[in-house]
Amino acid sequence: MSWSDFQEFRGQSAFSRPNEGDFGFGSGGGDFFYYSDGSGVPIADNDSDGLSDNAGVGVNYNFDNKKVKFNTSYFYNQTLQNLRTERFQQSFLPENSFVSQDSSRTRDFFGNHAFNGRLESEIDTSNKVIVKFFYRDYGNERTISKNALYASENGIPLNTLLDNTTQNRDQNALNLTGIYSHKFKKKGRTFSVSGAYQLNDEERDKELYSENRFADDTSLSLLLSQLFRELETVEEIKGSALYTEPLGGKWYSSTFVNLSAVEKTANQPVVDLLLAETVDSLSMWYRTQTDYQRVGTSLRYGHDGVNVSIGLGAQRIRLANENAVLEGAPLRTPVLERTFSNILPNVSINYNPNKGFSSLSYSYLVKAPDALNLQPVTRIASPLYRSVGNPELTPERRHVIRANYNHWGGGNDIGFGINGTYTYFENQTIFNQTVTFVEGVGFTTTSAPENYQGGQAFRSSVWANFPLVKSTLEMGVSGYAGTSQNPVFINSIENINTRDNYGADVDFTLTPGQNLFLQAVFRYGIQDIRYSIQSTQNQRPKSYGADMSVKWMFLPGTFLESNFDYSVYENERLGFEQSLPIWNASIRKLLGASNKVEVRLAAYDIFNRRLQIEQSGDAFSVFRNTNNTLARYFMASISYNFRGYESKIKSNNFW
């Protein structure tokens, strides 16, 4: 199912602009969890990982007139996915490194019931009400089998690890939102108020079985068999208010208030299945409360497409956390309660002429720590990997500057634009690594979150379209460049990972007539990954290729369509090179006076070469994932569309 298919099913009201009722600049500052109207919908494409069996059914109702708009829908979908992944990873230590190669098989089944509704009513010319609801009932069954080989940087085998994981998950989510707005008689004076209640109730059972064998001793050196049960409830109540006052001429002031209270309660007992007893050191119950209060005001100017806003807000975050082995048991540490206050400036400038759009903005964002990262309890993923929380974490703070300029030339098909975002982390959460070699076990890694002052990221893009031959040949150019600095401590030694990303695309579109469309796209991308503690491990994974497409209506209502994509993935440092030629082709015929019936014969991935490849790196490792995906298949189909199929070639009709 494609996104356009789902939107057609839902009807015209599905395109209503979302409004969560968080008034004021920014997002409100909280860790609000939202479920969009399309949550859980099986939107698939030819490049999705693994092999999937999908099914879905739903019903939709829309009512729309001048004063009342109402949309409601129910949708059920299920997916069974089988995924094979081959992963190579090199992890860095201050003085050396080690590598791991693993092969995993994942079987994933989920079923999802989703109910949506939205009512918008204009009571009169001055008053408007919006009510929205969402309910989701979600179930997931997952089994993962993984075999991993660990070796020294010289390729000497150290140990092997076998992991078998079975996980069952049930989730219920509810979201209710109400918004009321009022326009006063004085032009420009408005008042809006909103309220929302959100509930996420989840139960997870995970059974982990691990075998670890050392290379020079084939006997079993470490066996782990544990059952993790997690009962988690997240509940949030929030409200916002906004008052806008005209100041005369083209000036306005806006004052807003945001309030929210989030409580997360979790009970996570861990049972050793070999000893049939609870492991107190790994079990935990915790309750975290996060309260946000924010008030702010902004001064706005608007005239002839120019909008300028300068705002200042004050935010208070109250954070309380308690932790015990079980609910009702003595607390591990005293109740943690802290308050953080911040001033939040915000500036935005927008210019919207008839043929373009440009903007410049600055914002200061503050985000509370994740509740799980506050818990001072060890969590085991396998005998070789574990993590522990940090109750002393403080909120993340970052400065963000965004700028963009886009211009369209109207009927002459000329357009260009440039966009950029710069982020400076005044305080961020990083996950430090402690890696030790244990005889008879191998390299064990413990991850712990800490606050770090510093770090930055920048990303920019540029694009341009222009005709080479009017109405026949068009050329497009696009490019991107970005850099980020990601600090982390490995065995107490700081390692700064600098990662640069840049690339470019060039495309040519030829339309010699109404019945023929041809396109060629050439692309190149590269990552430059550098490490401060081991510069000899620096590397530059690349990906490049070309895409050729043709669409030809060679007889009335009869179309030949073909696409050939050639991609190359390289990493010279690791001696890796993979090329993927992917060829798709189809022929289709429209039938009937109104073109409501389509018959199609199609061949996908004719060379049977499709794979999903990912190359990247982080602050302490580089990795490569290779996943299976749907490869060669053939399809004969007949479709009926009540509105009729388009009988002309569209250049943006991608498949």
Side-chain angles (χ1 to χ4, degrees), residues 37 70-73 115-118 131-135 174-177:
D37 291 342
F70 177 69
N71 166 257
T72 185
S73 65
F115 298 85
N116 292 277
R118 187 180 192 275
V131 178
K132 305 198 317 177
F133 76 88
F134 172 79
Y135 175 75
L174 174 67
N175 185 333
L176 300 172
T177 303

Side-chain angles (χ1 to χ4, degrees), residues 211-432:
E211 291 182 3
N212 186 40
R213 298 178 186 271
F214 210 60
D216 56 7
D217 183 2
T218 57
S219 63
L220 186 64
S221 60
L222 182 63
L223 176 65
L224 181 68
S225 182
Q226 293 180 337
L227 174 65
F228 301 81
R229 171 159 291 175
E230 302 179 48
L231 305 173
E232 181 179 290
T233 300
V234 183
E235 195 171 14
E236 177 180 8
I237 300 175
K238 65 173 184 172
S240 294
L242 174 68
Y243 176 76
T244 301
E245 177 68 22
L247 302 179
K250 305 169 184 63
W251 294 88
Y252 298 84
S253 69
S254 296
T255 302
F256 64 88
V257 176
N258 303 132
L259 304 172
S260 77
V262 183
E263 180 176 280
K264 181 177 181 179
T265 304
N267 188 26
Q268 301 177 1
V270 178
V271 177
D272 188 323
L273 296 177
L274 299 177
L275 301 176
E277 61 182 29
T278 301
V279 184
D280 289 349
S281 61
L282 302 177
S283 301
M284 65 176 165
W285 169 90
Y286 67 89
R287 178 166 56 210
T288 302
Q289 294 176 301
T290 308
D291 299 332
Y292 287 88
Q293 298 93 36
R294 192 178 69 144
V295 61
T297 187
S298 62
L299 183 65
R300 296 188 292 115
Y301 169 84
H303 180 64
D304 284 346
V306 177
N307 291 276
V308 180
S309 175
I310 301 175
L312 191 66
Q315 178 175 276
R316 177 180 179 270
I317 301 176
R318 173 186 169 273
L319 188 65
N321 184 71
E322 52 186 338
N323 182 292
V325 175
L326 297 171
E327 185 176 7
L331 298 179
R332 281 192 169 101
T333 57
V335 176
L336 171 70
E337 185 170 351
R338 291 177 293 172
T339 301
F340 305 93
S341 300
N342 296 96
I343 300 298
L344 308 178
N346 184 277
V347 178
S348 66
I349 303 172
N350 297 284
Y351 177 54
N352 302 306
N354 293 332
K355 297 181 180 180
F357 171 78
S358 58
S359 67
L360 175 67
S361 68
Y362 162 79
S363 57
Y364 182 58
L365 306 178
V366 180
K367 179 184 177 183
D370 180 83
L372 185 59
N373 289 333
L374 292 171
Q375 313 312 317
V377 180
T378 300
R379 302 186 299 277
I380 293 181
S382 77
L384 304 182
Y385 292 94
R386 60 189 61 203
S387 60
V388 62
N390 178 5
E392 300 301 322
L393 286 179
T394 60
E396 290 187 315
R397 304 188 302 274
R398 66 186 67 183
H399 303 265
V400 181
I401 299 174
R402 295 184 176 91
N404 68 74
Y405 176 80
N406 297 278
H407 175 80
W408 295 272
N412 55 5
D413 297 324
I414 296 177
F416 60 89
I418 184 171
N419 307 272
T421 300
Y422 173 75
T423 302
Y424 174 76
F425 296 93
E426 185 177 310
N427 181 47
Q428 65 172 308
T429 300
I430 63 174
F431 290 86
N432 296 329

Side-chain angles (χ1 to χ4, degrees), residues 58-128:
V59 60
N60 180 78
Y61 174 75
N62 290 306
F63 177 83
D64 192 349
N65 65 18
K66 292 183 178 180
K67 290 191 174 183
V68 178
K69 297 180 180 179
F70 177 69
N71 166 257
T72 185
S73 65
Y74 160 76
F75 200 89
Y76 172 77
N77 67 279
Q78 66 178 39
T79 293
L80 174 62
Q81 182 189 54
N82 288 283
L83 174 65
R84 300 193 311 270
T85 300
E86 305 293 331
R87 181 179 177 90
F88 173 86
Q89 179 169 319
Q90 184 173 17
S91 301
F92 305 128
L93 304 177
E95 297 179 355
N96 53 27
S97 66
F98 66 95
V99 299
S100 62
Q101 298 184 68
D102 61 67
S103 175
S104 64
R105 302 292 183 268
T106 302
R107 183 185 186 276
D108 222 354
F109 174 83
F110 74 80
N112 181 71
H113 298 268
F115 298 85
N116 292 277
R118 187 180 192 275
L119 172 66
E120 181 177 327
S121 175
E122 292 190 13
I123 302 172
D124 52 40
T125 56
S126 300
N127 298 282
K128 183 177 182 179

